[in-house]
Every structure is written in C-alpha cells, then in structure tokens.
Amino acid sequence: MKLPSFAVIGAGNGGQAMAAHLSLMGFSVNLYNRTYEKLIQILNNGGIYLEGPTNGFGEINKITDDIEEAISNVDIIMVTIPASGHSDIAYEMLPYLKSGQIIVLNPGRTFGAIEFYNIIIKRNDIDVTISETDTFIYACRSNNGVAKIYRIKDVVSLAAIPSWRTNYVVNLLNLAYTQIIPAENVLVTSLNNIGSIFHPTPTLLNSARIETTDGNFQYYLEGISPSVAKILERIDKERIAVAHALGVNAVTALDWLKETYGSHGDNLYEAIQDTDAYRGLSAPKTLECRYIFEDVPMSLVPISSIGKQLGIPTHTIDSVIHLASCMHEKNYWKIGRTAQKLGLEGKSADEIRNIACGVKEEITVA
Amino acid sequence: MKLPSFAVIGAGNGGQAMAAHLSLMGFSVNLYNRTYEKLIQILNNGGIYLEGPTNGFGEINKITDDIEEAISNVDIIMVTIPASGHSDIAYEMLPYLKSGQIIVLNPGRTFGAIEFYNIIIKRNDIDVTISETDTFIYACRSNNGVAKIYRIKDVVSLAAIPSWRTNYVVNLLNLAYTQIIPAENVLVTSLNNIGSIFHPTPTLLNSARIETTDGNFQYYLEGISPSVAKILERIDKERIAVAHALGVNAVTALDWLKETYGSHGDNLYEAIQDTDAYRGLSAPKTLECRYIFEDVPMSLVPISSIGKQLGIPTHTIDSVIHLASCMHEKNYWKIGRTAQKLGLEGKSADEIRNIACGVKEEITVA
C-alpha cells in the first residue's frame, strides 16, 4: 500500500514540527510558507532537525512559497497557520485543489471547517474533503529549521464535512497519528476548542504585565490567578451554553484539564495550579500574539455570534472581544467569524447542525 | 468671627489626614468611624500625628463610633468614606442632622451628591446643604493615628445642591482650603471624576499581577502600558460623551494630567509616563480594593446607566463593569448608582440638569 503524501501549510512552530515528524515517520511531505524568509534555512538544509519523541533530520520533499507547487499531487493538506488566515489560504488553494484531496485544519478553532467549506464548494467541479481537529496535536517550538516537540497530545478529535467522511479521514490520518479519533461533527470540534478559554482572556487580563515584562512570567501558573480563573469559568459557562443550544455536550475547561492532564481541583484555578504541563510555560512576549489576533476573532466571535442568534447571552465573552478590539484598535467583531460570514445567519440550531454535518437541504416540492 | 466646626466621617487614610490637618489649622474636629478598632489608638493618643506640609499633633475634639455624637453641633460634615458607603451613612446621619449643616462628599465620585440629596430630603423638617468635590484633596497615607500628607492638590472643584449655594459652601471651606473652587453644578464634579478612568480598568487589567505579586509593581508607570492606555482612552471618550450629552464640557484624562501635574505627551500613555507624582506609587495589595468595589459601582455604573438613557453607547465601560462583576462575584450593575436608583430614570438631559442644580419642578396650571 502506498502511504498518503502530505503538504504542511505554514512553517511556524507547529508546521515545522509536523513536517519534520511526518517525514521521520516515512511520509512524503511538502512544506509551504507564505513568506520566503522563513524557508531559507530549511531550504539550505533540505529539511528540518527534530528533537523530541523522535530525534533526527526530516527531509522535506518540496519547500516552497508557491501554493500550487505545495499542494499539487498530495493526498492530505495539513493547515497549521493561525485560523485568522484560513479564509485567505482557502482562496489561494482554490484553483489548484483536486478531487479526492483532504484538507485538515490543525485546529479549526471555532467553525474553521465551515468557513473553509463555504469557500471550497465554490469549485463545484471538484470533490475535496475538509476537516478540522479540536486542538493542535503537539506542544512544540520551532526556530529556523530546528523543531522541538515537548509533548504529543494523547487524544485529538477530528470531524469532516460531510460528517460521514470523518471516519475515512481519521483512518487515513491514523497511519501517522493514532491519537486522532472521530468526533460526531465539526460543531463538536469547534465548540470543544479550549483555546477559546485559555488564550484570549488571560492575555487581556495580563496585558500590562506582558508589555512591561516582555511576557516574563508563567502564563498559566501566574497569569491565571483566582480572580482571572473566575472570569474564565464564566466564559466557559457561556461556551458550554452555546454548545448545548447546538446539541453539543461540550466538555468544561475543568474536566478537560482533568481528562487531558490528570489535574485535580475543585475549580479551574486549583486544577490549573495542579497541571504539571503548565509549569515553566511563559506568557507571549508581546500582545501582537495569536492568543489575541487568532483566538478573539476565530474562537470568541463565532461563539458569541451564534450565541446571540440562538438567544444565549455571552456578556463575558463580549466584554473580552470588545476590550481586545480597543487594545488592538481593530474591530474584531467585523474581522471575526460571525454567523453572517459563516453563512449561518438566521439559521436555527437544527439548520446549523445540518450544515455542519453536510446534509443537503431537501427541496420540498409542493 | 467664630470658625466653623467640622466632623470628619471615616477614619481611613483620608479621614485621619484631614482630621489632623484641620485640627492643626485651628478648627474644632470630631472624628467618626463605624468600626471602633480603628479609633482605639487615636483615642489613646487623643488625636493624630501628622507629617507633611504641616507637622504636628492634631488634637481631636470627639473621637467616636456614635454618629449622633460625631455630627451634633458641627457646622460642616466632611464625608471621607468610600462612595459605596454614602447611602448607608446618609441614612445613619438622617435622624441627627440639623438645619444649616453642610455635608461635603470628599469626593462624591459620580452622582454622590444626588444620591445623598435624595436621602436627606426625606427630612422635610430641616434644610441641610449637600455638596461634593471632584477629587480628594490630599495624596496621603494614614496608619493608626499617624497620617502623612504627600501632596495637597492645587485645585479641587466643589458643587452643592442647590447649585446657588455652591459659592456659600466654597467660601466657608476656603477658610480651611483655599484650593477649593466652585463648579457650575454637581454634574460637573461628578463627570470630572477622574478616578473613573484611572482606578477600575488598570486594576482589572492587572488583576493576576496584583494577586500574584501582592501589588508589588508601579500602578501607573508599569500597570498602564500602551495597550491599557488605549483602553483607558476609549473609556475616557465614553465619559466625555455622556458628560457632553448632559451639557458638561468635561476635561479629558490627558488634559487633566497636563493641568494637574504639568505632564507632557501626545497620548495618555506618554503623559502618564511623564507624571512624576506617579513615580513609586504601588498597586493595591489585593483586588478587594476601592479601585474596584468603590469605583465600579459608584463611578462607572452611573456613567453607563445615564449614558444608556441618553442614547450614548458605553461599550468599554460596560465591559469593565461586567468583568469586575465576574471577578468579585457581585452584580455591580445592581449594587451601583443606576439612573433608577438616583431617581433619574426616564429623565431627559435638561431634567437631569435641573435636578442636579436643585431647580424645583414648575407646576403648570392649565
């Protein structure tokens, strides 16, 4: 049997680690990055050095800033760029996609697969499967052709549109990652996006500290104090309520810590303090970071926007979106994934579920 | 001419400094505190030691936790407790007030005088004048009968209800404080409450840092980073807009720094960094501090509530109120000075101005 070939889209921390790891596992891998500078050292070396669970040099098949070259003739396209770039990269890929290809958003944040799907279906001459994970599989750092994987998550959920293709995608990916399991649909992966809880709000509530210390404090252990954790719990409740309205039994942040890291605690603050994996993790060095520019528009805005449509109040999420918008002098409501932009405006929970599952609307003939 | 006698209500940082200073200036001063413990050392000494512009021992006439004893037979009642206690203390004073007495809220925060006035007029058998300043006159610290005044502000504005008594109150207070000048009405003092800008938001946006360092950083110089300052500028714009809707030409926080401290800068961040008076000022040691429990309900809530009524959006202020409520697990919207609680619900800007000025409604006879 021929192994599937991969393209990794984005040579950031995650993309370099993934490309090197896939290569060392024996897969053919192309690596794409929009800016050429990030690729120069990798091009000079012909691949990426990896430290971590696997050590070695991962040779890369094609290292390119040309999207056509990157994705032509590969089976699986692993997107590792920030979700704020999903829409742009979808349009860039669009002319070069071929039937049978699989796109995986690692992760989709909230409603990434739906956003991507809406763009890909403009090509009605091809049949491509779009899917998203609920979280990124690695904890890793990469720099100029040297990647380090600190940890591979035990379990990563994935769902495809249409949802009946999820098992097919999971089976293929299991050739590389046995950690990937199927989720019911992309609403489940999107609403279990735990970054929506742990990324934007602690960053906002430590904004002066980040700016005046260059992030020189422990993000989780010092940045999430009892009061910050109380605000996170409120945001988590709002996320869970929106998920519930969509028929998704999302896992709470507290249970997620217990399940993912075996942490103990009666509340979020205690469980975070009890999470060994968070020891030594520093804050972002600046406020121009993914925790804001990705997670506010691509995680919090869609939860809030769909919440409003379904009558679920999200005052705490809205407050964080608004303050982050003031801070960055950007309107994240406008930039973000709203119901309207996702093509979900005015849809009921059932209709949204059908769209997420890829159910074609029935044409009723009177 | 007999000098007016004073009662200082509240033996906190400000109250102890004020009582000692007034005494050293030759006035008769009573000192009241709700909890007796704070008074024990002062009672043992018979007064308060003062360091600062005047050094010496300020003898206190009556040192008491009995409000009747404190305010009977004094001319001027100086209230120095947090604004969150104004309503309670007004009700406690109510039975013992006498015609001709003057009450000064130091400061009123936002709409303190209106709140107090609404309570005091329940005694229609007496004529008491209620007034408020826009800021507290001292920068000071006090501890157990030893007060230290770092600085006396150059200018403090005061307004009374009714507004035509403002000059009378200012003239009397000028016997002690030449710094006090008349403001047009209590809307001016209330909407120039600069604590609404500098207190709650930087505290909220440094909440984890306060909790994990016990406030061991410079509140203004490190706690108000460029991004935090951008959020403060938005809040300031909302305050100015609400003031404008009420016909008040409020001073911006930037101009206030320039006028008060001679600071330079093109924006709030630069001006704060240029303010020598802020050098060395630490953050609150805990989040259970006046900057939240006083300024959120007594400064931000009334600005927002009146803003809503007049059609002025205050999204940034609202976000801070909401997040502070989550953090303290209190509903500051409910605790705070809303239009409804202030008896201003449904009133137009002109009607609010009339109430603030003490204009009696005309009875139109058809």
Side-chain angles (χ1 to χ4, degrees):
Chain A
M1 181 202 162
K2 199 178 153 286
L3 286 177
S5 57
F6 286 87
V8 172
I9 306 301
N13 281 312
Q16 290 188 45
M18 183 174 271
H21 193 206
L22 284 168
S23 167
L24 283 165
M25 289 191 281
F27 297 91
S28 164
V29 185
N30 295 344
L31 178 64
Y32 165 86
N33 202 66
R34 189 181 45 172
T35 54
Y36 185 72
E37 295 77 56
K38 257 203 176 157
L39 298 173
I40 295 173
Q41 188 62 49
I42 304 171
L43 272 164
N44 288 344
N45 299 345
I48 296 163
Y49 294 93
L50 181 68
E51 288 176 61
T54 318
N55 287 292
F57 180 73
E59 222 172 286
I60 306 297
N61 180 43
K62 285 180 190 162
I63 302 161
T64 178
D65 62 350
D66 178 331
I67 193 77
E68 180 179 5
E69 194 184 5
I71 68 171
S72 292
N73 307 313
V74 306
D75 299 307
I76 302 173
I77 299 167
M78 300 293 261
V79 177
T80 64
I81 62 168
S84 39
H86 282 169
S87 168
D88 284 350
I89 203 78
Y91 279 109
E92 282 168 39
M93 283 182 190
L94 197 56
Y96 313 113
L97 288 168
K98 290 186 188 123
S99 277
Q101 286 185 311
I102 292 166
I103 299 167
V104 185
L105 306 180
N106 294 275
R109 295 294 163 206
T110 300
F111 302 138
I114 293 177
E115 183 185 60
F116 228 97
Y117 181 79
N118 288 340
I119 295 164
I120 300 302
I121 53 168
K122 293 181 199 292
R123 281 281 306 275
N124 54 16
D125 58 321
I126 53 165
D127 180 7
V128 167
T129 302
I130 174 79
S131 65
E132 67 175 27
T133 63
D134 62 345
T135 184
F136 193 60
I137 190 159
Y138 308 117
C140 61
R141 286 277 177 281
S142 305
N143 189 28
N144 249 339
V146 182
K148 186 166 180 176
I149 294 176
Y150 297 98
R151 209 175 147 276
I152 303 185
K153 295 207 177 102
D154 294 337
V155 176
V156 172
S157 294
L158 178 142
I161 307 177
S163 53
W164 51 87
R165 287 197 187 156
T166 296
N167 280 330
Y168 167 70
V169 176
V170 169
N171 286 340
L172 263 182
L173 287 173
N174 281 169
L175 296 170
Y177 299 111
T178 53
Q179 298 87 350
I180 295 181
I181 61 165
E184 193 188 340
N185 56 49
V186 295
L187 296 180
V188 175
T189 44
S190 281
L191 288 157
N192 277 325
N193 161 21
I194 210 73
S196 65
I197 308 304
F198 290 144
H199 294 170
T201 309
T203 301
L204 176 77
L205 296 175
N206 285 281
S207 46
R209 196 184 205 177
I210 288 170
E211 284 188 304
T212 58
T213 72
D214 298 325
N216 187 21
F217 62 94
Q218 295 203 46
Y219 182 74
Y220 288 90
L221 301 188
E222 297 179 295
I224 303 179
S225 64
S227 294
V228 172
K230 276 181 197 159
I231 294 175
L232 297 189
E233 282 173 347
R234 288 288 288 268
I235 287 181
D236 201 43
K237 271 190 189 154
E238 293 173 1
R239 174 182 65 91
I240 299 287
V242 173
H244 194 79
L246 286 169
V248 173
N249 192 13
V251 63
T252 66
L254 179 58
D255 285 343
W256 185 86
L257 285 172
K258 291 178 179 179
E259 290 168 17
T260 308
Y261 296 117
S263 315
H264 297 86
D266 288 338
N267 56 47
L268 203 49
Y269 174 72
E270 290 177 8
I272 287 167
Q273 293 295 317
D274 191 53
T275 300
D276 281 337
Y278 290 157
R279 222 157 289 282
L281 284 193
S282 288
K285 289 194 188 309
T286 126
L287 291 173
E288 293 296 329
C289 62
R290 286 176 70 151
Y291 286 6
I292 300 286
F293 76 66
E294 177 180 14
D295 284 288
V296 171
M298 303 300 152
S299 301
L300 295 184
V301 166
I303 296 172
S304 165
S305 178
I306 296 291
K308 274 184 195 24
Q309 185 160 312
L310 301 176
I312 310 294
T314 56
H315 294 311
T316 319
I317 290 175
D318 295 356
S319 297
V320 172
I321 296 168
H322 181 75
L323 293 177
S325 295
C326 295
M327 194 167 86
H328 274 180
E329 292 173 315
K330 283 178 186 171
N331 187 343
Y332 280 124
W333 293 106
K334 251 189 158 160
I335 296 167
R337 285 179 183 150
T338 55
Q340 191 228 333
K341 276 202 201 160
L342 292 165
L344 302 176
E345 199 175 31
K347 308 279 183 199
S348 70
D350 281 346
E351 289 169 326
I352 292 172
R353 271 184 83 81
N354 282 346
I355 289 167
C357 293
V359 176
K360 302 285 174 215
E361 277 172 45
E362 280 176 38
I363 298 162
T364 312
V365 182
Chain B
M1 181 202 161
K2 199 177 152 284
L3 286 177
S5 57
F6 286 87
V8 173
I9 306 301
N13 280 312
Q16 290 189 45
M18 184 174 270
H21 192 206
L22 284 169
S23 166
L24 283 165
M25 288 192 280
F27 297 92
S28 165
V29 185
N30 295 344
L31 179 64
Y32 165 87
N33 203 66
R34 188 181 47 171
T35 54
Y36 185 73
E37 295 77 56
K38 258 205 176 154
L39 298 173
I40 295 173
Q41 189 61 50
I42 303 170
L43 272 163
N44 287 345
N45 299 346
I48 295 162
Y49 294 93
L50 182 67
E51 287 177 60
T54 319
N55 287 292
F57 180 73
E59 224 173 281
I60 306 297
N61 179 41
K62 286 178 189 164
I63 302 161
T64 177
D65 63 349
D66 178 332
I67 193 76
E68 180 179 5
E69 194 183 5
I71 66 171
S72 292
N73 306 314
V74 306
D75 300 307
I76 302 172
I77 300 167
M78 300 293 261
V79 177
T80 64
I81 63 168
S84 40
H86 282 170
S87 168
D88 285 350
I89 203 77
Y91 278 110
E92 281 167 39
M93 283 181 190
L94 196 57
Y96 313 113
L97 287 169
K98 288 185 189 122
S99 278
Q101 286 185 311
I102 292 166
I103 298 168
V104 185
L105 307 181
N106 294 276
R109 296 291 162 210
T110 301
F111 301 138
I114 293 177
E115 182 186 63
F116 227 96
Y117 181 79
N118 288 339
I119 295 165
I120 300 303
I121 53 168
K122 293 180 198 293
R123 281 281 306 275
N124 54 14
D125 59 322
I126 54 165
D127 180 7
V128 167
T129 302
I130 174 77
S131 64
E132 67 176 27
T133 64
D134 61 345
T135 185
F136 193 60
I137 191 160
Y138 307 118
C140 60
R141 285 279 177 279
S142 306
N143 189 27
N144 249 339
V146 182
K148 185 165 180 175
I149 294 175
Y150 297 98
R151 209 173 148 280
I152 303 185
K153 294 206 177 101
D154 294 337
V155 176
V156 172
S157 294
L158 179 142
I161 309 178
S163 53
W164 51 87
R165 286 197 187 156
T166 295
N167 280 330
Y168 166 70
V169 176
V170 169
N171 286 341
L172 262 180
L173 288 173
N174 281 168
L175 296 170
Y177 299 111
T178 53
Q179 298 86 351
I180 296 180
I181 61 165
E184 193 188 338
N185 56 49
V186 295
L187 296 181
V188 176
T189 45
S190 282
L191 288 158
N192 277 324
N193 161 22
I194 210 73
S196 65
I197 308 302
F198 290 144
H199 294 169
T201 309
T203 301
L204 176 77
L205 295 176
N206 285 280
S207 46
R209 195 184 207 177
I210 288 170
E211 284 188 304
T212 57
T213 71
D214 298 325
N216 187 21
F217 62 94
Q218 295 202 47
Y219 181 74
Y220 287 91
L221 300 189
E222 297 179 296
I224 303 180
S225 64
S227 294
V228 173
K230 276 181 198 159
I231 294 175
L232 298 189
E233 282 173 345
R234 289 287 289 268
I235 288 182
D236 202 43
K237 272 191 189 153
E238 293 173 2
R239 172 182 67 89
I240 299 287
V242 173
H244 194 78
L246 287 168
V248 173
N249 192 13
V251 64
T252 66
L254 179 57
D255 285 344
W256 185 87
L257 285 173
K258 291 178 178 180
E259 289 168 17
T260 309
Y261 296 118
S263 314
H264 298 85
D266 287 339
N267 56 46
L268 203 49
Y269 174 71
E270 290 177 6
I272 287 167
Q273 293 296 317
D274 191 54
T275 301
D276 281 338
Y278 290 157
R279 222 157 290 281
L281 285 193
S282 289
K285 290 194 188 310
T286 125
L287 291 173
E288 293 296 329
C289 62
R290 286 176 70 152
Y291 285 6
I292 300 287
F293 76 67
E294 176 181 14
D295 284 289
V296 171
M298 303 300 152
S299 301
L300 295 184
V301 166
I303 295 172
S304 165
S305 178
I306 296 292
K308 274 184 196 24
Q309 185 161 312
L310 302 177
I312 310 295
T314 56
H315 294 312
T316 319
I317 290 175
D318 295 357
S319 297
V320 172
I321 296 169
H322 182 75
L323 293 177
S325 295
C326 294
M327 194 168 86
H328 274 179
E329 291 173 316
K330 284 179 185 172
N331 187 342
Y332 280 122
W333 293 106
K334 251 190 158 158
I335 296 167
R337 285 178 183 151
T338 55
Q340 191 228 335
K341 276 201 200 161
L342 292 165
L344 302 176
E345 200 175 30
K347 308 280 184 199
S348 70
D350 281 345
E351 288 169 327
I352 292 172
R353 271 184 83 81
N354 282 346
I355 289 167
C357 293
V359 176
K360 301 287 176 213
E361 277 173 44
E362 280 177 38
I363 298 162
T364 313
V365 182

